[in-house]
Amino acid sequence: MDVGGLRRIRRAAFLGGAPRHAVPDAIEHLARAHRRHHPRAPLEVLGEAYRLAEAAHRGQFRKSGDPYITHPVAVTLILAELGASTTTLTASLLHDTVEDTEVTLEELRERFGPGVGHLVDGVTKLEKVDWGAAAEPETFRKMLVAAGSDVRVMAIKLADRLHNMRTLGVMRPEKQARIARVTRDVLIPLAERLGVQALKTELEDLVFAVLHPEEHRRAVELIRARAGLPDPLEGVADRVRAVLREAGIAAEVRIRPRHVLSVHRALTKRGPLSPHDFGRLLILVEEKADCYAVLGELHTCFSPMVSEFKDFVAAPKFNLYQSLHTAIVDDAGEESGGVAEVLVRTHRMHRIAEAGVVAVPHPDVDPAADPTGGDGDAGERPDWLSRLLEWQRDARDPDTFWTELREELSEDREIVVFDEDEPHRATGPSTAPSGVDAPDPGPLRLPVGATCVDAAYARHGRRAHACVGARVNGRLVPLGTPLRDGDTVRLLLLPEPEPAPGPGADWLEHARTPAARLAIRAWAADRPEPDPAGSREAAPVHTRSRTW
């Protein structure tokens, strides 16, 4: 199609065509999915977005031969089924128009508002012709910076990658492997951190099939072989329902099958699987107190495996995930002696566990009560994203950024440590850029394995170059000491205007966070050149040492 024809189609989509209030037949299923979560959400804007996207992409085809418009519609349906807002769905329908057609961001902002424009801009790739090999890491950097003001940018990217992974079979094997590795190293950890388990588990299975086809095939064969046999969890579920009914606890008991990678992990960890290992019981209740009432009945009426108990209700994970985890022994039926894993959560906890920030941008916002579909709330920036946005400014080299991003995302557990002087101040990461001297009050959230070095840079930025020691739980310790969840820390810095001595020889070895590593390397790179006369040399970072 000629350029003039594309322009006329785009102009027609903006100015004319079907009635503005109509929802095109091609997205009726999408509109129904959206209305299930947001019964009063406006649909007219979705119709307008679809008409523009369909006109702009007309004549374009995917490698599978399908019309290109099928991709943004499929991506938007994924988000609609998770309960995404109207603004998110509108941007999703249009997410490739700026990248692949003549539609401009200015046109989208003018027609659909700045929110849609921001989301589309955030997921628009940088051109390889301009950026070369840096295009991919810099595109992710751009997306993460955009997500700093609206995390829905990443929700669209995850849904986009999920649909691309579903249709990856048309690509060359080497390209499939490259895309699958990036998905494994970056997108899946992002899905985990955003709490979007529904997308994460499917992405894991799709990546597993590409990168480990033999193991994937073996796990699938085990699942298929088990599918034709009686499920002992059915009997356990019936007995649990009877116990809860007798106790007067209103609860829904479901059997939740394990996905393919989960079966493989269980097989690797436990060896041959029992019939109980192919699923878990999921118990849904209305109130948080009911979770503990259910737990009491389970541990009273069944034999619990105490070592399997975890309370993520009282102490939610960093991605808002909440559930009680336990396991009980099946003491009846032909498969007696097997262990049934059990998850207990409220319906709201379940919605957050499945959809995360896609459906609930903020833990205190209930999308079902918002007639606009959650459009008024772009979500509160997660602590880990604030940390990432701080250190990425110092990673000016794309390769360094890419390496540090993968390293940061590989850490999927956090600890919280407290300031010795202010252990009970409000939580939250430092929002000051590197180099700002004033410490940010409140507990520090750090990855598991973080040391006092990491705490120093997380709290003080480059001012941490003046750190000369630390006290943990009242005792003086080396700066390389690993911290544990709940530790109380006091960082000892030289008073200003004393010159900062700079990082010790082993600091880089003890740094576990990108913020600390980048600041230490920046100090080494910025220190003065040795005096040509040889009268004085700046001590290099890798030859200094300190003891405390």
Side-chain angles (χ1 to χ4, degrees), residues 388-403:
L388 191 155
L389 291 174
E390 287 177 26
W391 66 253
Q392 66 84 25
R393 287 188 294 251
D394 291 330
R396 297 179 182 179
D397 175 72
D399 290 337
T400 299
F401 167 74
W402 201 226
T403 300

Side-chain angles (χ1 to χ4, degrees), residues 42-74:
L43 299 179
E44 295 83 356
V45 66
L46 296 182
E48 293 181 20
Y50 169 78
R51 283 189 288 273
L52 174 58
E54 192 279 330
H57 289 298
R58 195 174 298 163
Q60 297 178 349
F61 296 89
R62 289 171 62 79
K63 288 189 179 294
S64 62
D66 295 330
Y68 196 90
I69 189 61
T70 60
H71 170 66
V73 170

Side-chain angles (χ1 to χ4, degrees), residues 15 57 63 92 101 123 164 166 177 194 219 239 244 264 289 292 311 317 320 339 343 472 477 486 493 546:
L15 303 177
H57 289 298
K63 288 189 179 294
S92 178
T101 78
V123 295
N164 283 333
R166 287 175 177 175
L194 293 170
R239 291 191 292 279
L244 298 181
H264 170 73
Y292 293 99
D311 187 346
K317 291 186 178 181
L320 307 181
V339 176
L343 309 176
V472 176
V477 298
L493 277 67
R546 288 198 189 98

Side-chain angles (χ1 to χ4, degrees), residues 275-327:
H276 294 78
D277 290 332
F278 289 85
R280 299 181 176 119
L281 292 187
L282 173 63
I283 303 177
L284 300 177
V285 294
E286 289 300 323
E287 303 293 337
K288 183 187 293 188
D290 295 334
C291 294
Y292 293 99
V294 167
L295 183 70
E297 294 298 325
L298 292 177
H299 285 194
T300 300
C301 300
F302 298 88
S303 299
M305 303 287 291
V306 179
S307 61
E308 297 294 320
F309 173 66
K310 295 176 184 176
D311 187 346
F312 296 116
V313 172
K317 291 186 178 181
F318 65 90
N319 60 4
L320 307 181
Y321 175 86
Q322 288 183 285
S323 281
L324 297 178
H325 290 206
T326 190

Side-chain angles (χ1 to χ4, degrees), residues 50 54 70 109 131 193 196 284 328 367 371 375 436 456 462 469 474 488 527:
Y50 169 78
E54 192 279 330
T70 60
R109 290 190 183 105
W131 290 82
R193 289 178 177 232
V196 194
L284 300 177
I328 56 176
D375 286 338
V436 173
R462 292 188 182 181
T488 300
R527 60 194 171 84

Side-chain angles (χ1 to χ4, degrees), residues 27 30 34 42-50 52-53 72 76 79-80 84-97 108 111-113 115-117 119-120 152 156 372 375:
I27 61 167
L30 192 160
H34 188 37
L43 299 179
E44 295 83 356
V45 66
L46 296 182
E48 293 181 20
Y50 169 78
L52 174 58
T76 307
L79 294 168
S85 71
T86 307
T87 294
T88 307
L89 301 188
T90 303
S92 178
L93 283 168
L94 299 165
H95 79 272
D96 277 337
T97 54
L108 294 185
R111 181 67 191 88
F112 298 99
V116 168
L119 295 177
V120 173
R152 293 176 294 184
I156 295 173
T372 67
D375 286 338

